[in-house]
């Protein structure tokens, strides 16, 4: 079957809305794209295609724990990287040479839309003969080295739930167009059948969320979900459940065995999409440039405040349309409570770092963990689309900016 043709039950299923999503992202990135139901699903497919079981993957310790479990599900060993404390990007020069020699791949995070140093990572991966993967879930509009984030790796994955705001969908993009058909088939083999209940829930979700916001019922809704056992996170990190996780890791690569961890916050992450869902995602994607412009404007405003100044003291050369702006505050929890009093919820917190969270049983710890710990403790990720309300609330509450301890900073590069 030629690329672009559809067979019965295939991932494409003859869907024009899906094809349009792929073509839109192809135009943005200049590379072949495959629609996937979620970023995490696309990442799993990429890891399984390129990396042999037992391989070691360098990644950021300040990252969503779901991504950590995706790496484990693919039968790989996470290796935590040292980070630049100003934006949690990978500090390339602080990675020991013996670590570089042991890796099977590198996975970027581009946290909140701040790009990792993809040109330097690309060069190191090429020198080592290993693939570079870009997790661009937060960075659909960011650029680095004169290219869009997602245009540097052998493969890159995007979320259509973040800037696009579709609450579903993702894109797997590949540098080698000759691999597209194989990856499309691999995704097709991993997908689960479409569920009518899931499609119905997706259809009514925006209206339910609007009602909750309009009636100021957020706390009541959360309490009901907790009572029904639907809240899978009581803290920032999900429960590790090390004994169960060890059994799952022993069976890896195995997505089914890791499903209790990988599905958290998105139980339909590997379901086939219906036409209604794909149509809504497409309409949202059509408005992406307007959203990115508003995000860039809000980001610029937030970065001009005393909480937005770079922790390393280096001047910024550009402003990205960040998904969340990580303001650096002295007391993150107190600042989050101050925002909550004004109806502003702080999410996308990744504290503690993954090596502190999971331990040496499941990951190689960072050789220099201080930068990641400092950033995770002091970063207050706020929505740039609510920039003025955030600034007013923080000013009213007297929130102080964080001060970087002496000697804490990137090694250079």
């Amino acid at each position: 079957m030629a690329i672009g043709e559809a067979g019965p039950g295939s991932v494409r299923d003859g869907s024009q809305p899906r094809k349009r999503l792929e073509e839109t992202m192809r135009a943005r990135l200049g590379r072949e794209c495959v629609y996937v139901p979620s970023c995490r699903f696309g990442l799993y497919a990429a890891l399984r295609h390129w990396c042999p079981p037992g391989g070691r993957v360098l990644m950021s310790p300040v990252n969503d724990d779901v991504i950590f479990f995706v790496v484990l599900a693919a039968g790989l060993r996470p290796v935590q990287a040292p980070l630049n404390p100003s934006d949690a990007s990978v500090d390339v020069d602080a990675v020991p040479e013996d670590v570089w020699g042991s890796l099977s791949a590198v996975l970027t995070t581009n946290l909140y839309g701040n790009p990792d140093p993809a040109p330097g990572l690309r060069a190191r991966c090429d020198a080592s003969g290993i693939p570079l993967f870009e997790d661009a879930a937060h960075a659909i509009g960011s650029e680095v080295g004169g290219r869009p984030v997602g245009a540097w790796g052998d493969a890159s994955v995007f979320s259509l739930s973040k800037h696009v705001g579709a609450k579903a969908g993702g894109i797997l993009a590949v540098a080698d167009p000759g691999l597209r058909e194989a990856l499309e088939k691999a995704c097709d083999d991993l997908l689960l059948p479409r569920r009518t209940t899931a499609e119905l829930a997706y259809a009514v979700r925006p209206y339910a969320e609007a009602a909750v916001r309009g009636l100021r019922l957020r706390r009541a809704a959360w309490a009901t979900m907790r009572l029904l056992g639907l809240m899978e996170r009581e803290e920032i990190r999900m429960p590790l459940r090390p004994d169960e996780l060890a059994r799952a890791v022993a069976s890896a690569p195995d997505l089914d065995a890791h499903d209790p961890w990988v599905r958290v916050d998105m139980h339909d992450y590997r379901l086939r999409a219906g036409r209604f869902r794909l149509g809504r995602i497409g309409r949202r994607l059509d408005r992406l440039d307007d959203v990115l412009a508003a995000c860039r404007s809000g980001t610029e405003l937030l970065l001009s405040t005393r909480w937005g100044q770079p922790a390393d003291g280096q001047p910024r050369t550009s402003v990205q349309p960040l998904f969340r702006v990580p303001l650096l505050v002295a007391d993150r929890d107190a600042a989050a409570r101050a925002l909550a009093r004004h109806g502003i919820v702080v999410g996308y917190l990744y504290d503690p770092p993954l090596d502190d969270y999971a331990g040496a049983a499941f990951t190689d710890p960072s050789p220099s963990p201080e930068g990641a710990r400092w950033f995770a403790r002091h970063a207050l990720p706020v929505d740039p689309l609510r920039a003025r309300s955030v600034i007013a609330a923080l000013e009213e509450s007297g929130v102080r900016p964080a001060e970087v301890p002496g000697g804490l900073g990137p090694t250079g590069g």
Side-chain angles (χ1 to χ4, degrees):
M1 182 184 302
I3 296 175
E5 294 179 352
S10 74
V11 68
R12 298 183 62 83
D13 197 24
S15 170
Q16 289 304 309
R18 184 180 293 109
K19 181 178 179 181
R20 190 167 74 87
L21 294 174
E22 294 171 346
E23 291 176 346
T24 298
M25 289 301 294
R26 185 187 303 121
R28 285 183 171 274
L29 297 172
R31 50 176 55 189
E32 290 294 325
C33 295
V34 177
Y35 174 83
V36 288
S38 64
C39 179
R40 65 190 73 175
F41 178 88
L43 177 60
Y44 179 83
L47 292 171
R48 289 290 294 117
H49 180 86
W50 269 274
C51 298
R56 293 159 52 81
V57 179
L58 186 72
M59 62 182 296
S60 167
V62 181
N63 198 346
D64 192 337
D65 38 27
V66 165
I67 299 303
F68 175 78
F69 293 118
V70 168
V71 175
L72 290 177
L76 304 169
R77 174 77 173 182
V79 177
Q80 304 305 320
L83 302 184
N84 181 338
S86 66
D87 59 6
S89 60
V90 174
D91 188 350
V92 180
D93 295 328
V95 179
E97 286 300 321
D98 63 326
V99 171
W100 282 115
S102 72
L103 297 176
S104 299
V106 173
L107 171 64
T108 67
T109 298
N110 304 295
L111 188 64
Y112 306 131
N114 283 311
D116 278 299
L121 291 170
R122 177 74 271 172
R124 290 304 308 239
C125 287
D126 288 344
S128 301
I130 59 176
L132 173 66
F133 302 117
E134 294 181 86
D135 181 347
H138 294 176
I140 198 169
S142 297
E143 296 183 356
V144 60
R147 299 188 204 171
V149 168
W152 289 92
D154 296 86
S156 53
V157 287
F158 292 83
S159 170
L160 301 179
S161 296
K162 306 296 190 297
H163 285 88
V164 177
K167 308 291 187 183
I171 291 291
L172 169 59
V174 292
D176 182 356
L179 294 176
R180 181 186 175 202
E181 187 172 10
L183 286 166
E184 189 174 50
K185 183 180 184 306
C187 291
D188 187 43
D189 292 342
L190 289 166
L191 286 173
L192 296 178
R194 185 182 306 123
R195 288 206 304 261
T196 303
T197 53
E199 291 299 302
L200 179 61
Y202 180 77
V204 303
R205 178 175 175 176
Y207 307 104
E209 291 178 343
V212 167
R213 287 193 299 269
L215 297 173
R216 301 180 182 273
L217 295 176
R218 285 191 178 92
R219 291 184 180 178
W222 291 337
T224 301
M225 292 177 66
R226 188 174 291 110
L227 183 64
L228 294 173
L230 299 177
M231 289 287 286
E232 296 174 287
R233 294 179 189 265
E234 292 291 338
E235 305 294 337
I236 294 173
R237 296 293 191 189
M238 74 175 81
L240 186 69
R241 305 194 300 278
D243 293 341
E244 297 172 47
L245 182 60
R247 289 192 290 272
V249 169
S251 70
D254 188 340
L255 189 56
D256 291 332
H258 291 80
D259 187 70
W261 295 270
V262 176
R263 73 184 182 195
V264 168
D265 301 328
M266 184 181 284
H267 282 215
D268 54 357
Y269 75 97
R270 60 185 295 197
L271 295 184
R272 297 181 190 275
R275 282 184 171 274
F276 179 86
R277 183 184 299 242
L278 293 168
R280 178 182 285 173
I281 294 171
R283 291 189 293 275
R284 289 279 187 170
L285 187 57
D286 288 342
R287 299 196 291 269
L288 176 59
D289 286 330
D290 291 338
V291 174
L292 293 177
C295 286
R296 183 176 282 106
S297 177
T299 297
E300 188 168 19
L301 182 59
L302 287 163
L303 293 181
S304 69
T305 68
R306 62 181 182 276
W307 313 286
Q309 299 305 307
D312 57 9
Q314 299 298 315
R316 290 188 176 87
T317 57
S318 63
V319 175
Q320 308 284 356
L322 299 186
F323 171 62
R324 292 291 183 268
V325 180
L327 302 179
L328 298 173
V329 298
D331 188 336
R332 194 266 319 287
D333 294 338
R337 289 193 296 270
L339 292 179
R341 289 194 292 270
H342 290 77
I344 302 171
V345 178
V346 174
Y348 300 96
L349 294 168
Y350 306 123
D351 185 25
L354 290 171
D355 37 5
D356 292 339
Y357 161 66
F362 299 106
T363 184
D364 285 15
S366 168
S368 304
E370 297 80 9
R373 288 170 179 162
W374 187 88
F375 182 90
R377 187 167 60 251
H378 293 288
L380 180 75
V382 297
D383 187 347
L385 301 181
R386 303 198 65 183
R388 295 190 183 279
S389 298
V390 167
I391 293 170
L394 295 180
E395 291 283 9
E396 178 186 309
S397 302
V399 172
R400 293 182 297 108
E403 297 182 6
V404 183
L408 183 61
T411 58

